[in-house]
């Protein structure tokens, strides 16, 4: 819809024209339902929107923690005002996500993980069915949907071979009931192709509990969603880091929706 939503730290969310960069609209604190003298806040710290810009999810910083809400646009009607998250580092460790057509909103949930009790899980809101489901996923990691919203990929915690991994890639099949979860043997930051046929991942295996030490080497992989068969794989290493800090190989990934390109950071002394 040629709209860009940008957050600030002065109680205003800007709606920009993507072609000209000019301001089309503003969403103020009164539209967010917060901002009273007894509940001051700093602004929108994470934003996600549907492809047509009709549904927004916001992570809003406030005193004592963070508030997460979903909003219709341009009406600015609050759809979900689901929870307060009482932590002061939410801008680094919490993420929100809206599916392409706006049916689903993913937000952190204060329910603690069974495998990592110190970490939050995620809640999947189905706005069409007006239901929600808690998934044992990483609240700090961005998930991804295919264009038809049949599948969602997200980061979970569990075994990858013999290693326990904090960023295992899992697939949720979506529909009119509870999502059906399938865990893969992949790890890293997940993405899914636009047609839903392929799941992509990139990065190293992260130890459960945010240990600074990795559990598996960096790699980029493409697998078939239905079978789990590996279509393409490229392996990296940790040679680029000094003093045990070189864990950025295949980091910060972004995949094209047709699976033809991967953009990522490389940090390896073995690169030609």
């Amino acid at each position: 819809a040629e709209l860009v939503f940008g957050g600030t730290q002065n109680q205003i969310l800007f709606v920009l024209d993507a072609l000209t960069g000019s301001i089309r609209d503003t969403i103020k604190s009164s539209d967010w339902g917060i901002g009273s003298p007894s509940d001051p806040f700093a602004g929108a710290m994470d934003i996600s929107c549907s492809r047509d810009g009709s549904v927004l999810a916001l992570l809003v910083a406030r005193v004592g923690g963070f508030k997460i809400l979903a909003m219709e646009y341009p009406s600015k009607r609050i759809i979900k005002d689901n929870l307060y998250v009482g932590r002061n580092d939410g801008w680094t460790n919490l993420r929100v996500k809206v599916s392409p057509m706006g049916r689903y909103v993913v937000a952190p949930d204060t329910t603690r993980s069974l495998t990592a009790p110190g970490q939050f899980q995620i809640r999947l809101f189905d706005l069409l069915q007006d239901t929600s489901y808690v998934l044992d996923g990483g609240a700090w990691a961005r998930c991804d949907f295919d264009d038809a919203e049949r599948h969602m990929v997200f980061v979970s915690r569990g075994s990858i071979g013999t290693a326990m991994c904090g960023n295992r890639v899992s697939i949720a099949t979506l529909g009119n009931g509870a999502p059906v979860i399938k865990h893969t043997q992949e790890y890293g930051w997940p993405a899914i192709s636009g047609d839903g046929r392929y799941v992509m991942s990139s990065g190293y295996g992260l130890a459960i509990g945010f240990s600074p030490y990795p559990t598996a080497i960096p790699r980029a992989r493409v697998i078939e969603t239905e079978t789990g068969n590996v279509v393409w794989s490229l392996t990296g290493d940790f040679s680029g880091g000094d003093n045990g800090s070189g864990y950025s190989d295949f980091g910060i990934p972004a995949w094209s929706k047709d699976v033809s390109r991967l953009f990522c950071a490389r940090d390896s002394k073995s690169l030609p």
Side-chain angles (χ1 to χ4, degrees):
E2 298 176 352
L3 298 177
V4 174
F5 298 92
T8 73
Q9 294 188 28
N10 61 359
Q11 306 181 11
I12 293 176
L13 187 74
F14 289 106
V15 186
L16 306 177
D17 186 305
L19 298 180
T20 66
S22 61
I23 297 175
R24 286 192 183 186
D25 194 4
T26 56
I27 304 174
K28 300 179 181 179
S29 60
S30 58
D31 301 316
W32 298 352
I34 60 174
S36 66
S38 61
D39 189 19
F41 67 99
M45 310 306 289
D46 194 38
I47 307 170
S48 181
C49 68
S50 58
R51 295 266 175 86
D52 63 0
S54 65
V55 178
L56 291 176
L58 303 172
L59 171 69
V60 182
R62 53 178 290 279
V63 170
F66 288 76
K67 182 176 183 177
I68 297 160
L69 58 89
M71 173 189 292
E72 284 184 344
Y73 185 80
S75 72
K76 302 176 186 177
R77 181 180 73 89
I78 301 298
I79 308 170
K80 292 290 180 184
D81 187 359
N82 60 310
L83 55 86
Y84 289 93
V85 181
R87 58 186 301 165
N88 59 14
D89 58 351
W91 66 277
T92 60
N93 287 329
L94 300 175
R95 294 292 179 266
V96 292
K97 178 71 174 181
V98 179
S99 63
M101 293 185 285
R103 174 174 175 175
Y104 299 100
V105 174
V106 179
D109 191 89
T110 52
T111 304
R112 298 291 179 165
S113 167
L114 296 177
T115 53
Q119 298 179 30
F120 293 149
Q121 298 186 87
I122 59 175
R123 184 173 292 273
L124 174 69
F125 291 92
D126 184 337
L127 302 183
L128 181 64
Q129 301 288 325
D130 195 24
T131 56
S132 69
Y133 306 93
V134 174
L135 308 179
D136 191 10
W140 47 271
R142 188 83 71 187
C143 56
D144 194 25
F145 294 83
D146 64 1
D147 291 342
E149 301 179 338
R150 292 187 301 263
H151 300 287
M152 178 185 79
V153 290
F154 64 100
V155 164
S156 66
R157 308 172 183 94
S159 60
I160 301 291
T162 59
M164 292 299 291
C165 190
N167 59 343
R168 176 182 60 182
V169 175
S170 295
I171 305 168
T173 300
L174 309 175
N176 293 326
V180 178
I181 307 301
K182 178 172 66 175
H183 302 303
T184 74
Q185 288 295 295
E186 308 306 318
Y187 53 82
W189 302 99
I192 190 168
S193 61
D195 59 12
R197 294 177 58 194
Y198 302 106
V199 170
M200 301 88 80
S201 60
S202 184
Y204 69 88
L206 181 70
I208 290 179
F210 295 113
S211 165
Y213 301 104
T215 61
I217 60 174
R219 70 185 184 193
R221 297 280 286 269
V222 177
I223 65 170
E224 293 178 333
T225 303
E226 296 301 326
T227 66
N229 292 336
V230 177
V231 178
W232 179 85
S233 182
L234 185 63
T235 300
D237 60 50
F238 295 122
S239 66
D242 297 318
N243 301 318
S245 61
Y247 300 151
S248 59
D249 201 25
F250 285 111
I252 326 174
W255 291 83
S256 63
K257 295 301 282 186
D258 65 357
V259 204
S260 66
R261 289 175 176 84
L262 165 64
F263 300 87
C264 66
R266 295 301 313 273
D267 185 12
S268 168
K269 295 176 182 177
S270 301
L271 284 171

